[in-house]
Amino acid sequence: MLRRERAHVEEAPGRGPLGGHHERPDARAKVSGSTRYVADLALPGMLHAAVAVAPVASARVSGLDLASARAVDGVEAVLTAADIPGRNLVGVIFEDQPLLAREKVRMVGERLALVAARTPEAAWAAAHLVHADLEPLPAVHDPVQALEPDAPRVHDAGNLIRTFRVVRGDTARARASVVVEAEYRVGGQEHAYLEPQGCLAIPEGRQRITIVASCQCPFYVQHAVARVLGLPLAAVRVEQAPTGGGFGGKEDYPSEPAACAAVLAFATARPVRFVLPRELDMQVSSKRHAMVIRHRWGADRSGHLRFAEVETVLDAGAYIGISTVVAERANVSSIGPYHVPAVRVSTRVAYTNNLFGGAFRGFGTPQVTWAAEATMDRLARACSLDPLEFRRRNLLDDRRRRLCTGQSLRRPVLARECLERAVALAGWDEFHARPRRQEGPMREGMGIGLALYGCNLHHGGQHLDRSSAVVILQPDGSVVVRVGLTEMGQGNLAACQTIAAQALGVEPAHVQVWQPDTTTVGDSGPTVASRGAHASGMAILNAVDRLRKKLDPVAAELLECGERDVELAGGFARVRTDPDHRVPIARLAGEMASRRIEGISTGWYRSRKRRFDPVTGLGDPYEFYAVACHIARVVVDAELGLVRVTEVSAAHDVGKVIHRDVLEGQIQGGIVQGTGWGTSEELKLDRGRLCNPSFTDYIIPTAADVPSIRIAVVESEGPGGPFGAKGIGEPSLIPTAAAVRNAVVEALGLEIDRLPLTPPTIVEALGNRHPFAWVAEEERVRGRSEEVAAGR
């Protein structure tokens, strides 16, 4: 059940969410150019691809026997690394990952050979007949152990990929009377997107190729395919197929199946379709990174944070992918929306022989937020304070705006506003004032999770922080919009439709937004970091500004006014001081066409330059931030370890609402996905092999598991994107699992430091039950009391 609360800044009666007099976007309006779903595509002469993969996590490749595979009826090609016409590399950032293994296998599911056949059945039958002579090598599967000097090396250069830091103040000299220490082990997560990885490669001789792919980042795919084929970028066209959810799993990984299909298509001179079966997709595709996070945080006797030390080890898996970028965000997000005078954060990225990590909704922030919010509750108990009151004393606000990186948040800082709105929605005081429900083994609890999310890309990825748009005003007054950032169910194209309609003063139903195609817009970077509506919208506004330099003079002539007096609204060009003096935009567009005035304009956006020191982690990693607070209510079966999340109250700092239905849908979806990650979605690995690669054994929430969701939208006139909007896709997930964890801990009265909170994890914790306890110890220089950790 969804309960809505009116926005912080009230909308004027009869006005749209952006203040303009226009209808809400028509849900039936066309906002997707392509209807070519990969799984439904069939072209004359099309072949089907399959892949032979390694069954072990670490081995030397001594040889491949392809004879049996090539003998299967219907097989047209069986290819190995030696057959790749360009470079055998698919790493997005670092050149550490081959498309096809040549000498060494580093993970279960590593690609060894590609097959193209006339039917999918023949292709997969042949792939299973590829015989690999593999000599087992030692493997390492724990990221902490991987950093030991005597650990098996996944790559020759060693297992430590990179270390990120934040150092501000002197934690050794910070005066704290209460100190808590903890180690958290945070598990990964499967993306569970609607359709598996899939693409179609269509060659045009050996000069160029078209890729139709289910993907988030068509420009990533373009670069990867050009590299393996040895072609210039202009010879590779990538069209995004309708994509049913990505959550980060369609960011970097789709480049790999696309490159496979492209190599086969070039070798056979025929279209090749490649769709991964769900079980193989789950085994080989990227996952949310598992992390080991160690905390040592201190507060004074009045309950104010004095220092925080965080050491994180991120499991990159066998290849880097974009692990360093995830670690970069996790590193600066480790403290959350709290004022801490002294901070020392270290985030190390380690190779293992596990499945490799990649982009996932939140991009490293959910893991470190889960740990930070657990420690906040620990410290609150150590200070004999209610967790709510402890947060109230330490939140950033307009007076204390400095982040752990030293960056000062731009006003208004709405962390306290989000906390109080969520508290009111959840009925926190009423819940804790009444006797707690204890019916047999059932226990109730309520927990808080707060998150600070840097909108758009980190300083380290700022070279990708760009966006392109094309706006075409048709002679009848309708509008075509093309953008380079993708739609995958998050509502990006609907937001673009709303922004373009508002800027041009037309009804949203008159705007057609088409799916990205790398030949129609400039490289717009990745559709990640909740930047879709922000970056696309800013590029659209830039295109409209340029278009109006041609449109306004014609309008001024027709209206007999100055160019600066022209405004567009409600389907009309009108005089700003005399709204009744107007002409329809359709007439204006027709007049432009008859005068042969170009009705097309391009737009471009790039974020403003920021300063950041990667050595100390100090500076401005992000341009602006969003805050979110979730409060979860749970019922826990203390005998079976079952957790039922009954209610989540969410308050979000969103800047300005572009499209309310999409906004609320994103919040609901993020809460459900965060609940699954927090309670049931466990990646069970055995020596690098995923033991539960299906939705029978990998448990995602169903409709029956969705809690009651209450939403408070906090709007403001602060910094943001188009019309002041901020991102919502990732903040909607980040605090959920933390809130659930703290609610479960409150219900059971014991600490649990592993995620997800599956029944076996909870039952084990209950078996080692040690209720909350602290030992106070005074020291001459500074007092401190160390928490006696449960079960240690």
Side-chain angles (χ1 to χ4, degrees):
M1 180 173 60
L2 173 66
R3 301 178 186 175
R4 302 180 181 177
E5 182 174 292
R6 286 193 64 81
H8 180 57
V9 176
E10 299 293 333
E11 298 172 5
R15 297 175 70 86
L18 299 177
H21 291 272
H22 67 269
E23 297 176 3
R24 298 186 69 156
D26 186 349
R28 298 166 297 175
K30 184 177 178 64
V31 294
S32 174
S34 172
T35 56
R36 302 200 294 174
Y37 290 91
V38 171
D40 297 331
L41 290 173
L43 298 176
M46 185 178 75
L47 301 177
H48 299 267
V51 59
V53 299
V56 295
S58 182
R60 183 173 290 107
V61 181
S62 300
L64 293 174
D65 183 352
L66 310 177
S68 297
R70 286 173 171 159
V72 173
D73 184 42
V75 168
E76 297 289 333
V78 181
L79 307 180
T80 67
D83 301 306
I84 294 175
R87 301 183 68 198
N88 184 24
L89 288 170
V90 288
V92 176
I93 301 174
F94 296 90
E95 295 186 347
D96 69 333
Q97 184 181 3
L99 178 64
L100 297 175
R102 186 188 294 269
E103 299 174 350
K104 188 176 181 181
V105 164
R106 295 180 174 88
M107 60 176 279
V108 174
E110 181 110 40
R111 290 177 296 272
L112 299 170
L114 303 175
V115 177
R118 291 190 292 272
T119 67
E121 293 79 10
W124 288 108
H128 291 310
L129 291 175
V130 171
H131 175 71
D133 186 3
L134 302 177
E135 177 186 339
L137 294 173
V140 61
H141 299 290
D142 184 284
V144 176
Q145 293 176 5
L147 297 179
E148 295 295 329
D150 58 348
R153 290 193 170 196
V154 181
H155 292 263
D156 293 341
N159 295 336
L160 177 61
I161 299 169
R162 190 167 174 185
T163 300
F164 297 91
R165 291 185 174 85
V166 176
V167 180
R168 188 170 68 86
D170 188 345
T171 59
R173 303 183 68 177
R175 299 180 62 84
S177 55
V178 179
V179 176
V180 299
E181 299 183 14
E183 178 179 290
Y184 304 103
R185 288 193 169 256
V186 184
Q189 187 178 17
E190 160 64 26
H191 295 92
Y193 27 64
L194 185 62
E195 77 269 339
Q197 301 280 348
C199 62
L200 174 68
I202 308 167
E204 297 181 34
R206 296 185 67 83
Q207 287 73 47
R208 59 188 192 181
I209 192 168
T210 295
I211 305 291
V212 181
S214 176
C215 65
Q216 289 179 231
C217 305
F219 298 99
Y220 280 10
V221 175
Q222 182 189 34
H223 281 259
V225 170
R227 185 190 304 137
V228 299
L229 294 183
L231 293 176
L233 291 173
V236 179
R237 176 192 181 194
V238 180
E239 178 188 348
Q240 185 212 14
T243 300
F247 313 116
K250 299 289 177 76
E251 180 184 345
D252 52 325
Y253 188 79
S255 298
E256 300 181 30
C260 292
V263 169
L264 288 168
F266 252 45
T268 60
R270 293 165 67 174
V272 174
R273 185 175 75 181
F274 189 18
V275 178
L276 292 183
R278 178 66 70 175
E279 291 78 7
L280 182 60
D281 184 304
M282 292 180 70
Q283 175 64 60
V284 302
S285 63
S286 60
K287 303 287 180 279
R288 186 186 296 283
H289 290 86
M291 297 186 191
V292 179
I293 306 170
R294 293 169 179 160
H295 275 193
R296 184 173 177 272
W297 290 32
D300 61 24
R301 294 192 182 281
S302 62
H304 292 94
L305 291 168
R306 303 308 303 162
F307 75 87
E309 297 176 350
V310 181
E311 294 183 2
T312 298
V313 179
L314 180 146
D315 185 352
Y319 297 104
I320 297 176
I322 55 174
S323 294
T324 53
V325 188
V326 172
E328 202 169 39
R329 179 179 283 272
N331 187 63
V332 299
S333 303
S334 295
I335 305 302
Y338 301 108
H339 172 73
V340 187
V343 174
R344 189 176 72 209
V345 180
S346 170
T347 304
R348 294 181 291 171
V349 186
Y351 280 125
T352 68
N353 293 109
N354 293 329
L355 308 181
F356 72 100
F360 204 125
R361 194 177 195 173
F363 218 70
T365 306
Q367 297 96 311
V368 296
T369 296
W370 191 86
E373 291 301 295
T375 294
M376 287 295 290
D377 268 30
R378 268 189 156 99
L379 268 172
R381 286 187 283 271
C383 293
S384 301
L385 288 172
D386 174 76
L388 170 60
E389 178 57 31
F390 187 66
R391 286 172 171 81
R392 283 172 171 159
R393 297 184 186 189
N394 290 286
L395 275 175
L396 298 168
D397 52 31
D398 282 345
R399 180 175 56 88
R400 299 181 304 185
R401 298 183 290 126
R402 196 167 295 279
L403 301 178
C404 68
T405 65
Q407 179 177 7
S408 289
L409 292 177
R410 294 153 69 184
R411 294 185 177 93
V413 179
L414 297 172
R416 191 174 304 279
E417 175 81 359
C418 287
L419 175 65
E420 300 302 339
R421 295 286 288 279
V423 164
L425 279 180
W428 176 277
D429 293 336
E430 295 82 356
F431 177 85
H432 288 90
R434 65 174 174 78
R436 199 65 51 84
R437 172 186 173 186
Q438 291 191 359
E439 299 175 7
M442 310 308 289
R443 304 288 184 269
E444 280 188 309
M446 185 176 284
I448 303 173
L450 275 150
L452 180 72
Y453 182 78
C455 298
N456 222 322
L457 300 179
H458 186 280
H459 175 273
Q462 199 166 7
H463 63 288
L464 296 173
D465 203 355
R466 56 186 183 246
S467 183
S468 173
V470 177
V471 175
I472 307 172
L473 180 62
Q474 302 287 359
D476 64 354
S478 62
V479 181
V480 170
V481 174
R482 284 194 175 274
V483 292
L485 298 176
T486 57
E487 172 65 47
M488 49 190 150
Q490 86 278 33
N492 182 52
L493 298 189
C496 290
Q497 182 191 46
T498 304
I499 292 165
Q502 174 74 9
L504 285 168
V506 300
E507 299 299 334
H510 293 165
V511 177
Q512 305 288 317
V513 186
W514 291 73
Q515 300 225 165
D517 179 327
T518 58
T519 62
T520 62
V521 289
D523 188 337
S524 300
T527 310
V528 298
S530 300
R531 66 185 292 265
H534 169 235
S536 295
M538 296 299 283
I540 289 169
L541 293 178
N542 181 245
V544 171
D545 284 345
R546 294 178 180 181
L547 181 60
R548 289 196 62 174
K549 286 180 171 61
K550 295 174 280 188
L551 185 151
D552 285 3
V554 178
E557 183 180 331
L558 295 177
L559 293 168
E560 299 179 336
C561 68
E563 292 180 23
R564 293 185 178 180
D565 295 326
V566 175
E567 70 175 6
L568 306 178
F572 294 92
R574 64 192 188 188
V575 179
R576 194 180 308 276
T577 56
D578 184 9
D580 293 330
H581 187 33
R582 62 190 190 179
V583 295
I585 289 176
R587 179 187 166 191
L588 177 58
E591 185 68 21
M592 289 180 65
S594 68
R595 298 185 187 188
R596 295 180 293 173
I597 297 175
E598 185 182 32
I600 183 172
S601 183
T602 61
W604 187 251
Y605 164 77
R606 61 179 180 177
S607 59
R608 67 180 182 88
K609 205 168 184 179
R610 304 186 297 276
R611 292 183 179 180
F612 183 79
D613 181 358
V615 176
T616 62
L618 300 182
D620 297 0
Y622 301 100
E623 186 173 356
F624 57 91
Y625 294 79
V627 180
C629 179
H630 290 183
I631 297 181
R633 183 170 173 175
V634 303
V635 175
V636 186
D637 187 321
E639 290 182 354
L640 301 179
L642 292 169
V643 176
R644 184 165 63 91
V645 182
T646 60
E647 184 178 285
V648 176
S649 299
H652 282 265
D653 157 31
V654 302
K656 281 293 183 182
V657 176
I658 297 289
H659 192 300
R660 185 169 295 276
D661 288 344
V662 169
L663 177 90
E664 292 180 348
Q666 282 293 293
I667 295 172
Q668 295 167 36
I671 288 171
V672 174
Q673 195 169 42
T675 299
W677 178 52
T679 61
S680 64
E681 296 185 38
E682 182 177 14
L683 295 170
K684 298 179 180 179
L685 297 177
D686 179 17
R687 292 172 293 180
R689 177 186 294 277
L690 183 63
C691 299
N692 54 334
S694 74
F695 295 137
T696 299
D697 301 309
Y698 181 85
I699 310 301
I700 62 175
T702 68
D705 301 309
V706 176
S708 171
I709 297 174
R710 306 180 182 205
I711 296 173
V713 175
V714 181
E715 292 194 85
S716 71
E717 300 290 344
F723 302 108
K726 298 181 180 181
I728 190 61
E730 294 178 281
S732 62
L733 175 142
I734 294 168
T736 304
V740 170
R741 181 264 177 197
N742 287 341
V744 170
V745 166
E746 183 189 78
L748 298 177
L750 60 98
E751 301 287 1
I752 303 176
D753 297 336
R754 300 181 69 93
L755 180 146
L757 302 178
T758 60
T761 296
I762 291 176
V763 169
E764 180 183 0
L766 288 167
N768 298 327
R769 187 183 185 96
H770 190 129
F772 302 136
W774 296 270
V775 177
E777 181 184 75
E778 292 294 331
E779 292 187 352
R780 187 162 54 92
V781 178
R782 61 188 176 95
R784 70 176 184 179
S785 65
E786 295 187 348
E787 178 186 4
V788 179
R792 297 185 187 174

